[in-house]
Amino acid sequence: MVAPSLVAFLPPLLPILVAAISPEPTVAAHSHSKPKPFPPLTPLRMQALLRHERGSSSRGGKLVVTAAADGTSSTAANPFTAHYFPQELDHFTFTPNASMLFYQKYLVNDTFWRRPSGGKGAAAGPLFVYTGNEGDIEWFATNTGFMFDIAPKFGALLVFIEHRFYGESTPFGNNADNFSKTLGYLTSTQALADYAILITSLKRNLSAEDAPVVVFGGSYGGSKSFLNHGLKYPHIAIGALASSAPILQFDYITPSNSFYDAISQDYKSESLNCFAVIKATWDVLDERGSSDKGLLELSKLTVKYADSIGGWLEIAFIYTAMVHYPTPANFLENLPAYPVKEMCKIIDGFPANADILEKVFAAASLYYNYTGDQTCNQIEYEDSSHSSVLSDWGWQACTEMIMPMSRSNESMFPPSTFSYDDVSNACLQLNGVPSRPHWITTEYGGHKIDKVLKRFGSNIIFSNGMRDPWSRGGVLKNISSSIVALVTEKGAHHLDLRSETKDDPDWVVEQRRQEVEIIQGWIDQYHQDMA
């Protein structure tokens, strides 16, 4: 069975803004006005299953409200103010295009901030900065309630910075020809420089140059929080919390089959029958897709291709494993607590002789329609003729963020192999540029990371939950006394960054307690050093 394509999201892009604007010395004046609102995100076919994040577009006003952990709107809302920083397009060359500007979006909450008082008064509270992922920054801010929970204790200013080319922080117009010529500015190194420049400027404009900065991030954002503090700009922040950061998923540092094998283990640990039913699904799809009678049966599902069903099912099983949270959540979709367990209960509840597709469709509907508000399942998206239009993460995954992914015979998914040559050829055909499969480890390292970081790194928390398939590409052992790995057996994808709830199990509470204690130690040591 051919691995199906998944759905990605191509956000609208902004025109280049070339007027040089100097920020004024207040939070409000650091902001800049924006052009008119933008249309919603458009679903396009993705070239491969390489990442999971998606952002819901929120273009309307300046006030953003977080959601409660159970997926409902919180009455004790945490408001943000949205600001736009004039960022240079290219930080590393001195060419005419390099000095062109785009507006990078960031969100601020100063509810709990202890402002600098001057003289011999209390020191300014720290800046807690989230390094944005591959999506709208509001989406990640609303799912990072941990920073709000601990801000009062620290008197912290909260800042969430959007990644360039995502959400509203997009430098170019939504034009296929223009887009394909300008995505070269979408790189992790440019993004890290964006964060360093924005943080430095913000501190200066707030007269808070001596305030310590702690960077936070989950998943790709967690990788960037580590890279920003630990490797590229260690003078910008005093420490980093990198949650579910798969920094070892590159260059075969981690076995290429680890991601899918971890998902398979998640389901197998809940039910051997559940695992076996899902594993048998793909042969059934192949068999029915190869005969007229089988295609007639599949046509009742209003789909054209068996692969479309396979892709729809894979998304449900993969993402549900990632967000196997111990409490209800709406990070990707509205889901109950321990959703993998609930999926397997559905499958196991069918009679043994029931049709396999009936079983797995019912289980997948838990992911897509747990609330029951969908009248039908959108299994196929309208095929896009804009194959030359490049998606933002698709570009990064094709050019520099190449993660070897294969599936073993023991996986519950169809076996597959991985080839750098195949990826590079596809990238060249689609994007007009070849891949650089070893660039990430050349630029940032990764091989023998324990020995490397032990020599010069400090103040990093790597947190991972072993139910999260991305954890296999994370740092799972302490590297030094100040570079620690907090690993939970039952944790899921950056669970520790979510808001606390009354139903949190003790092991989540303890993990967050340790993180707060470590961060407090960083800040205390910083002030001692400054004194």
Side-chain angles (χ1 to χ4, degrees):
M1 179 177 177
V2 178
S5 297
L6 300 187
V7 176
F9 294 86
L10 179 64
L13 303 180
L14 296 178
I16 287 263
L17 299 170
V18 295
I21 303 175
S22 300
E24 298 296 329
T26 66
V27 172
H30 196 71
S31 168
H32 296 273
S33 60
K34 286 289 290 179
K36 61 185 179 180
F38 304 95
L41 303 180
T42 305
L44 296 177
R45 286 209 175 267
M46 183 90 170
Q47 52 192 302
L49 174 58
L50 289 166
R51 288 296 283 178
H52 60 278
E53 317 286 33
R54 63 171 174 80
S56 57
S57 181
S58 179
R59 315 286 188 192
K62 292 291 183 88
L63 186 67
V64 182
V65 177
T66 64
D70 62 359
T72 62
S73 179
S74 173
T75 54
N78 299 310
F80 300 98
T81 54
H83 306 272
Y84 301 89
F85 179 74
Q87 193 74 259
E88 283 193 326
L89 177 63
D90 185 355
H91 301 297
F92 304 111
T93 64
F94 292 88
T95 63
N97 280 348
S99 59
M100 298 175 76
L101 300 179
F102 71 97
Y103 279 122
Q104 183 170 25
K105 185 175 184 177
Y106 65 101
L107 308 175
V108 172
N109 181 296
D110 61 358
T111 304
F112 310 106
W113 190 38
R114 186 173 63 249
R115 295 177 177 274
S117 58
K120 296 183 178 180
L127 278 66
F128 287 173
V129 179
Y130 187 95
T131 53
N133 302 51
E134 62 282 29
D136 290 8
I137 192 59
E138 290 94 342
W139 187 53
F140 296 102
T142 59
N143 283 280
T144 312
F146 175 67
M147 292 172 64
F148 285 94
D149 294 340
I150 67 175
K153 172 181 174 62
F154 291 96
L157 177 72
L158 302 181
V159 183
F160 294 80
I161 306 176
E162 193 164 70
H163 194 300
R164 62 166 51 200
F165 280 80
Y166 292 96
E168 293 185 50
S169 302
T170 47
F172 297 98
N174 190 16
N175 176 285
D177 293 334
N178 196 29
F179 199 33
S180 61
K181 293 175 182 177
T182 54
L183 273 178
Y185 298 108
L186 173 54
T187 67
S188 57
T189 50
Q190 296 280 9
L192 293 180
D194 288 342
Y195 299 139
I197 291 168
L198 197 158
I199 292 170
T200 301
S201 177
L202 181 60
K203 290 179 67 177
R204 182 173 59 248
N205 283 285
L206 294 174
S207 300
E209 288 93 336
D210 292 335
V213 175
V214 178
V215 288
F216 297 74
S219 196
Y220 175 47
S223 299
K224 289 198 280 86
S225 70
F226 154 68
L227 295 172
N228 194 293
H229 163 69
L231 295 180
K232 302 300 288 186
Y233 302 99
H235 58 287
I236 297 296
I238 65 168
L241 170 52
S243 181
S244 300
I247 61 174
L248 305 181
Q249 197 73 49
F250 303 97
D251 221 357
Y252 289 105
I253 300 172
T254 299
S256 61
N257 61 344
S258 63
F259 180 86
Y260 287 99
D261 283 355
I263 296 172
S264 301
Q265 183 58 42
D266 285 349
Y267 286 86
K268 186 182 291 185
S269 67
E270 296 296 344
S271 163
L272 290 176
N273 174 66
C274 178
F275 168 83
V277 167
I278 297 173
K279 186 175 177 66
T281 296
W282 322 112
D283 286 340
V284 173
L285 283 175
D286 275 349
E287 179 184 354
R288 295 188 187 177
S290 61
S291 70
D292 292 339
K293 181 180 178 181
L295 286 172
L296 181 61
E297 293 180 26
L298 294 178
S299 70
K300 297 175 184 178
L301 302 170
T302 66
V303 296
K304 298 177 183 178
Y305 308 108
D307 278 354
S308 297
I309 303 173
W312 186 81
L313 292 171
E314 282 195 21
I315 291 173
F317 297 137
I318 292 168
Y319 292 0
T320 299
M322 283 171 43
V323 294
H324 186 66
Y325 296 141
T327 55
N330 67 341
F331 178 48
L332 297 175
E333 299 286 352
N334 283 300
L335 289 172
Y338 299 112
V340 172
K341 180 188 292 290
E342 296 303 317
M343 267 193 172
C344 285
K345 283 182 180 179
I346 292 172
I347 290 176
D348 293 344
F350 278 85
N353 60 350
D355 183 74
I356 281 183
L357 291 189
E358 185 180 356
K359 296 178 183 180
V360 295
F361 263 76
S365 293
L366 177 89
Y367 175 77
Y368 291 109
N369 196 21
Y370 173 63
T371 58
D373 57 352
Q374 301 296 318
T375 57
C376 62
N377 292 314
Q378 186 177 7
I379 296 176
E380 284 189 320
Y381 285 89
E382 193 174 316
D383 203 20
S384 172
S385 61
H386 304 296
S387 58
S388 63
V389 179
L390 309 172
S391 71
D392 34 30
W393 179 256
W395 169 270
Q396 287 193 269
C398 191
T399 53
E400 61 167 356
M401 294 281 179
I402 303 170
M403 300 179 180
M405 292 276 189
S406 66
R407 297 185 284 203
S408 67
N409 291 326
E410 287 69 41
S411 166
M412 70 181 196
F413 299 100
S416 67
T417 58
F418 177 85
S419 164
Y420 277 129
D421 288 340
D422 290 345
V423 172
S424 187
N425 290 335
C427 189
L428 183 62
Q429 181 177 2
L430 180 65
N431 300 341
V433 296
S435 300
R436 296 182 184 177
H438 309 292
W439 171 247
I440 288 296
T441 51
T442 301
E443 174 71 8
Y444 303 118
H447 295 280
K448 298 180 180 177
I449 191 171
D450 54 340
K451 296 178 176 59
V452 173
L453 285 182
K454 189 180 292 185
R455 291 199 297 269
F456 70 87
S458 64
N459 291 6
I460 302 169
I461 301 170
F462 292 107
S463 66
N464 282 282
M466 296 308 291
R467 295 298 295 259
D468 175 18
W470 290 109
S471 66
R472 304 315 191 266
V475 175
L476 303 178
K477 294 182 179 179
N478 291 350
I479 292 177
S480 69
S481 60
S482 66
I483 305 178
V484 298
L486 299 181
V487 180
T488 55
E489 180 183 351
K490 299 180 181 180
H493 202 50
H494 44 75
L495 167 63
D496 53 321
L497 294 185
R498 298 187 62 77
S499 296
E500 63 180 18
T501 77
K502 60 181 178 57
D503 298 319
D504 286 335
D506 292 343
W507 51 268
V508 177
V509 175
E510 173 59 17
Q511 180 184 15
R512 292 177 180 144
R513 186 200 65 77
Q514 292 182 60
E515 291 171 353
V516 169
E517 181 180 355
I518 292 169
I519 293 170
Q520 184 68 68
W522 295 343
I523 294 174
D524 291 345
Q525 185 62 55
Y526 170 81
H527 287 306
Q528 290 177 27
D529 294 343
M530 291 294 289

